[in-house]
Amino acid sequence: MHVDNYQNKGKRRLMVEYLKEKGISDEKVLDAMNNVPRHFFLDSSLDSIAYEDRALQILCNQTISQPSTVAFQTQLLNVKQREKILEIGTGSGYQTSVLYYLKARVYTIERMKQLYDKAKKVFEEMNIHPQCFFGDGYLGLPGYQPFDKIIVTCGAPFVPEELVNQLKVGGIMIIPVGQGTQTMHKITKISETETKTETFGNFRFVPMLENKG
Ligand code: SAH
């Protein structure tokens, strides 16, 4: 059981100041990140560094993305209340919780059972209720489509066509694309058959893998 004390809150405020300096300007995103306790998603041995701007180890050799990356992707996603959002790569559940805090209807997929189970426990502890799925993000969630927005939090070697198919017309997907290093893509679905792509710099994510356990 984690606690959120004044020290954690203080560090979180400093993290948010740092995010502002790094160019994050969306007040709602900053407010969400000031409120969601990132240390809840990490092993308690990492409490003291939970609010530094770095990726940290979670289970299964995966990482929680660094706060500036979470802020950047969330800002690009431009979340509105009640929007139906699909996240690929639940991981620790931190990004999921930021989206939930922004009052989106969040659906999230994770391919590693241990991470899926752990994230669900943390969500219960926090009394938040995103829809969690254990499965392959390449396939999306055909039974729950279409989505207003899709966010991919692992490095995709290419843009999965299934995910574009599950996006509403007018919807957007934020996805880091590439092997090794990824370029952040914002893909807007402008009609049933056309998309527009904008790019936003380079990042390093753990790879999006096919669902082989
Ligand atoms: N959003 C997470 C980031 C975790 S790292 C957080 O805030 O902590 C990316 C996650 O993507 C890892 O947990 C990894 O297991 C998962 N992943 C990789 N390939 C996937 C796939 N094909 N489908 C679903 N999840 C995948």
Side-chain angles (χ1 to χ4, degrees), residues 115-134:
L115 283 168
Y116 164 82
D117 289 338
K118 175 83 194 318
K120 282 195 29 161
K121 279 212 191 91
V122 181
F123 296 144
E124 259 168 51
E125 185 182 317
M126 295 176 71
N127 195 26
I128 69 170
H129 312 283
Q131 302 275 328
C132 300
F133 298 83
F134 172 56

Side-chain angles (χ1 to χ4, degrees), residues 88-202:
I88 309 300
T90 316
S92 69
Y94 177 62
Q95 171 76 72
T96 319
S97 304
V98 169
L99 298 172
Y100 191 88
Y101 189 88
L102 291 167
K103 301 195 168 62
R105 288 179 288 153
V106 189
Y107 296 71
T108 183
I109 312 179
E110 172 56 53
R111 68 182 281 281
M112 309 288 280
K113 187 69 165 56
Q114 242 189 313
L115 283 168
Y116 164 82
D117 289 338
K118 175 83 194 318
K120 282 195 29 161
K121 279 212 191 91
V122 181
F123 296 144
E124 259 168 51
E125 185 182 317
M126 295 176 71
N127 195 26
I128 69 170
H129 312 283
Q131 302 275 328
C132 300
F133 298 83
F134 172 56
D136 183 2
Y138 279 98
L139 306 177
L141 290 175
Y144 296 84
Q145 60 143 337
F147 295 94
D148 295 297
K149 311 260 168 85
I150 299 178
I151 177 170
V152 180
T153 67
C154 37
F158 54 87
V159 178
E161 205 183 314
E162 270 311 308
L163 296 184
V164 178
N165 290 342
Q166 292 176 26
L167 209 51
K168 280 185 193 164
V169 171
I172 66 170
M173 168 155 62
I174 306 299
I175 177 171
V177 186
Q179 265 150 354
T181 301
Q182 295 84 31
T183 304
M184 195 63 76
H185 283 51
K186 175 181 176 184
I187 297 171
T188 308
K189 187 156 169 175
I190 52 180
S191 75
E192 277 304 338
T193 53
E194 296 158 288
T195 58
K196 179 182 88 176
T197 299
E198 296 158 272
T199 58
F200 295 88
N202 291 335

